Amino acid sequence: MIEHLAPEIVNGIVLGAFYAIIAIGLSLIMNLTGTINLAHGSFMTLAGYLAFTLMSRGSNFWFALAASAICTAIIGLVVERLLISPLYKRVPLYSLLLTFGLSLVFEEVFRLIWGPSTVPFSAPPELSGATQIGDVFLPTYRLFIMVALVVVMVALLVFLYRTRLGLRLRGAVQDAEMLAALGTNTQLLYMTNFGLGILLAAIAGVLAAGLLGLGPTMGNDLLMPAFITVVIGGMGSLAGSIVGGLLVGLAISITTLYLPAASEVIMYVLMAVVLLIRPRGLFGEEGIFG
Amino acid sequence: MSDARLLEVERINTYYGKSHILHDVSLHVEQGEIVTLLGLNGAGKTTTLRSILGLTPPRTGTVKLNGRELRGLAPHAVARLGVGYVPEGRRMFKNLSVLENLQLAERGTVGDGWTIGRVYDRFPKLKELAGRKSGRLSGGEQEMLAIGRALVGNPKLILVDEPSQGLAPIIVIELYKTLEELRRQGASILLVEQNALLALKVSQRAYVIDDGHIVHTGAADELAHDQPRIRGLMGLREDEDIPA
């Protein structure tokens, strides 16, 4: 029993960690500027392809991970300044439409450059194979992803709660205009915040590419569960994103084991149940958009 | 430059969308003065402060701080040039602690400027509450924090909007003592109030704004002794009380 269940639980946690990281990036961007970034998945895919291209030219995995994440974040900053920031003063529908359009454009560009089917993206040799823990063999790459995503989350928490810039971000979420009146350049803050969300997406994108396979829709496929994670966890809550992500990931993987036909629908059921009991999500605050 | 007034607002016109709110508003504040801007709800008091700060930029006119044009600058640039803000309703970052609220506003200065430590010395209560979320403070404590938050930015001029709003009378009196004390230590304050009589007591000069127009300018103590005049200027009938 346990030898069947354990790998699925690890699977669920790994998937959940991806959802959590993506959800945190979405939340950061949504909380500060009201932008619902439907292009978030595209940035993940972009980072995966950039890493793939670097590796196919001889770079090792680690350099490709770092370089593609940084490049993707920079592209994110440019997109934010040129396209998204002019819409901050308008209702969120405008940026929603814009980022939806962007995701379509990105997807077609991926097809043009890297082709319509998945490209071979393999985990580095030092992370392939399996690791034995007790009686159970678990894929080393999955274990690595778990550790890596935890490290990223801890780094993010340290940034938000232990640095001046993090403090400004937390203040701006509550009252950006007041923060500006106290001398903070909020436009710069919006930009930094967007870049940070994209950096998280990019790291997750490269890691996911080695696990899920890299195709033009890889990131977008992860985006819907990530949005559900945000809703389940509660808008604006980092803890909510982490718990929500793990719940969604575990629910999907365990359902895959026992009732494969329901694995696609289980996250919607979970969301409906959570919202019936607690409309603002597990950790959400009331009236975050109020 | 040195003989320029601390704040000189000249004939500003400010709009919310298409509605014309401020009509040729002019006023000034000298170094070391408390100047009160009186008026009823909706007369344009807050809009005047928002215009100075660049939060709602005026379409025409000039706003100068020590001779330097502020109109057209972003709010953070205005703040950095030395305009502090104690907003109406206090606008705490309510999920952040007292200390974090101060840290967000702190801007170093050379010499003996305001630091978080000095604010704690002046308002010992804030030091006691340093770790508490500011949303959980009482109204009076929040007002102190809002003032402390403006002070740690080491402004040349502080804009104070309706500080007495929602506070118990005894707290209001303490608050006004604080403003007066800050002035004696060299602060310059532009105060917006509905609580006319109290505001006039601590002020040197006063303006009255009605429907977006400045309708009176003069010494505060003259106006304070002329209650029928205050009623008239503020558009109140004989039998209406002056808001206090």
Side-chain angles (χ1 to χ4, degrees):
Chain A
M1 189 64 226
I2 181 76
E3 65 274 17
H4 291 298
L5 199 53
E8 283 308 325
I9 287 178
V10 171
N11 245 344
I13 293 174
V14 168
L15 264 185
F18 276 120
Y19 299 152
I21 285 280
I22 304 162
I24 287 170
L26 287 171
S27 287
L28 283 174
I29 294 167
M30 195 163 9
N31 288 344
L32 191 55
T33 58
T35 306
I36 296 171
N37 182 23
L38 290 180
H40 213 67
S42 305
F43 286 105
M44 297 180 65
T45 315
L46 174 64
Y49 277 125
L50 290 178
F52 166 76
T53 299
L54 284 169
M55 284 160 74
S56 64
R57 288 168 192 228
S59 151
N60 70 36
F61 175 78
W62 306 101
F63 176 79
L65 171 64
S68 70
I70 291 168
C71 287
T72 304
I74 291 171
I75 294 169
L77 293 180
V78 173
V79 168
E80 191 271 350
R81 266 309 92 181
L82 294 183
L83 300 174
I84 300 177
S85 68
L87 300 178
Y88 285 152
K89 286 184 175 166
R90 296 175 184 256
V91 294
L93 194 59
Y94 284 87
S95 54
L96 186 84
L97 281 173
L98 175 85
T99 55
F100 178 60
L102 270 178
S103 76
L104 298 179
V105 172
F106 268 117
E107 202 173 306
E108 288 312 309
V109 170
F110 297 151
R111 281 182 219 280
L112 279 175
I113 300 178
W114 287 285
S117 47
T118 55
V119 297
F121 189 108
S122 45
E126 61 267 34
L127 296 175
S128 56
T131 303
Q132 187 177 9
I133 297 175
D135 291 338
V136 184
F137 282 92
L138 297 169
T140 307
Y141 188 64
R142 284 175 196 235
L143 293 173
F144 159 72
I145 287 177
M146 259 161 52
V147 173
L149 293 180
V150 168
V151 168
V152 168
M153 280 187 225
V154 170
L156 178 71
L157 288 175
V158 168
F159 169 74
L160 285 176
Y161 288 91
R162 289 284 177 271
T163 67
R164 286 246 145 174
L165 191 54
L167 175 62
R168 282 179 206 289
L169 284 177
R170 286 183 294 133
V173 167
Q174 289 175 42
D175 191 342
E177 187 185 80
M178 189 61 220
L179 192 66
L182 293 173
T184 295
N185 184 342
T186 43
Q187 287 297 323
L188 208 57
L189 210 55
Y190 294 160
M191 196 172 136
T192 311
N193 181 65
F194 192 87
L196 184 65
I198 298 304
L199 184 68
L200 295 179
I203 293 170
V206 177
L207 297 180
L211 182 72
L212 307 172
L214 177 59
T217 63
M218 179 197 77
N220 284 342
D221 295 341
L222 288 166
L223 197 58
M224 183 48 91
F227 270 114
I228 287 176
T229 293
V230 173
V231 174
I232 288 177
M235 309 266 177
S237 165
L238 292 184
S241 289
I242 294 169
V243 173
L246 292 177
L247 276 178
V248 173
L250 284 170
I252 290 177
S253 62
I254 292 173
T255 316
T256 308
L257 185 63
Y258 292 109
L259 192 60
S263 66
E264 296 271 315
V265 81
I266 185 68
M267 62 181 177
Y268 300 101
V269 175
L270 190 64
M271 176 171 75
V273 171
V274 168
L275 289 185
L276 277 176
I277 300 167
R278 220 179 134 78
R280 68 181 95 148
L282 294 175
F283 293 75
E285 281 173 34
E286 222 159 351
I288 188 100
F289 288 122
Chain B
M1 287 289 272
S2 59
D3 50 62
R5 279 170 169 156
L6 178 62
L7 177 74
E8 177 93 65
V9 175
E10 250 182 321
R11 299 174 65 87
I12 57 169
N13 286 276
T14 303
Y15 297 72
Y16 283 128
K18 282 182 181 165
S19 16
H20 192 169
I21 308 294
L22 298 185
H23 300 261
D24 286 331
V25 166
S26 299
L27 56 83
H28 70 270
V29 179
E30 308 272 5
Q31 179 64 46
E33 266 189 324
I34 297 183
V35 174
T36 301
L37 180 60
L38 298 174
L40 293 176
N41 253 342
K45 305 185 298 290
T46 297
T47 306
T48 303
L49 299 190
R50 292 181 59 89
S51 298
I52 295 168
L53 279 160
L55 294 172
T56 310
R59 282 205 200 148
T60 61
T62 60
V63 179
K64 287 184 175 163
L65 187 75
N66 286 331
R68 165 146 196 191
E69 180 65 76
L70 300 182
R71 190 166 75 93
L73 297 180
H76 72 267
V78 174
R80 287 178 193 178
L81 284 172
V83 181
Y85 185 35
V86 181
E88 184 178 10
R90 304 176 272 277
R91 289 174 76 168
M92 298 283 101
F93 300 101
K94 59 185 189 338
N95 289 339
L96 303 186
S97 70
V98 167
L99 175 61
E100 287 174 326
N101 267 271
L102 293 170
Q103 284 172 335
L104 274 180
E106 191 179 24
R107 209 164 23 243
T109 182
V110 282
D112 57 346
W114 285 93
T115 59
I116 291 178
R118 268 194 70 198
V119 167
Y120 282 165
D121 290 342
R122 177 60 191 77
F123 305 110
K125 189 81 188 168
L126 292 182
K127 187 176 187 179
E128 268 172 54
L129 299 170
R132 184 169 305 181
K133 287 204 163 50
S134 62
R136 308 189 60 179
L137 304 184
S138 72
E141 289 158 357
Q142 287 190 350
E143 195 64 49
M144 291 304 161
L145 178 53
I147 291 173
R149 197 171 62 175
L151 289 174
V152 293
N154 286 292
K156 301 185 175 92
L157 169 72
I158 309 176
L159 310 180
V160 182
D161 197 350
E162 300 277 6
S164 67
Q165 195 188 63
L167 299 185
I170 187 163
I171 307 283
V172 173
I173 289 173
E174 197 179 317
L175 174 73
Y176 271 86
K177 278 187 186 152
T178 304
L179 293 180
E180 207 166 15
E181 185 194 315
L182 289 174
R183 185 192 69 82
R184 280 201 303 273
Q185 293 167 358
S188 313
I189 297 171
L190 176 58
L191 177 65
V192 154
E193 259 298 2
Q194 284 197 65
N195 195 333
L197 299 180
L198 194 54
L200 289 172
K201 271 186 204 150
V202 300
S203 304
Q204 283 67 60
R205 289 185 306 109
Y207 294 89
V208 179
I209 186 167
D210 186 28
D211 200 17
H213 300 265
I214 297 286
V215 293
H216 174 85
T217 312
D221 49 357
E222 276 172 37
L223 194 57
H225 292 110
D226 194 355
Q227 298 202 9
R229 182 114 182 258
I230 299 180
R231 281 207 180 78
L233 292 168
M234 292 176 62
L236 293 171
R237 291 190 312 273
E238 283 291 304
D239 55 337
E240 278 178 301
D241 281 338
I242 296 169

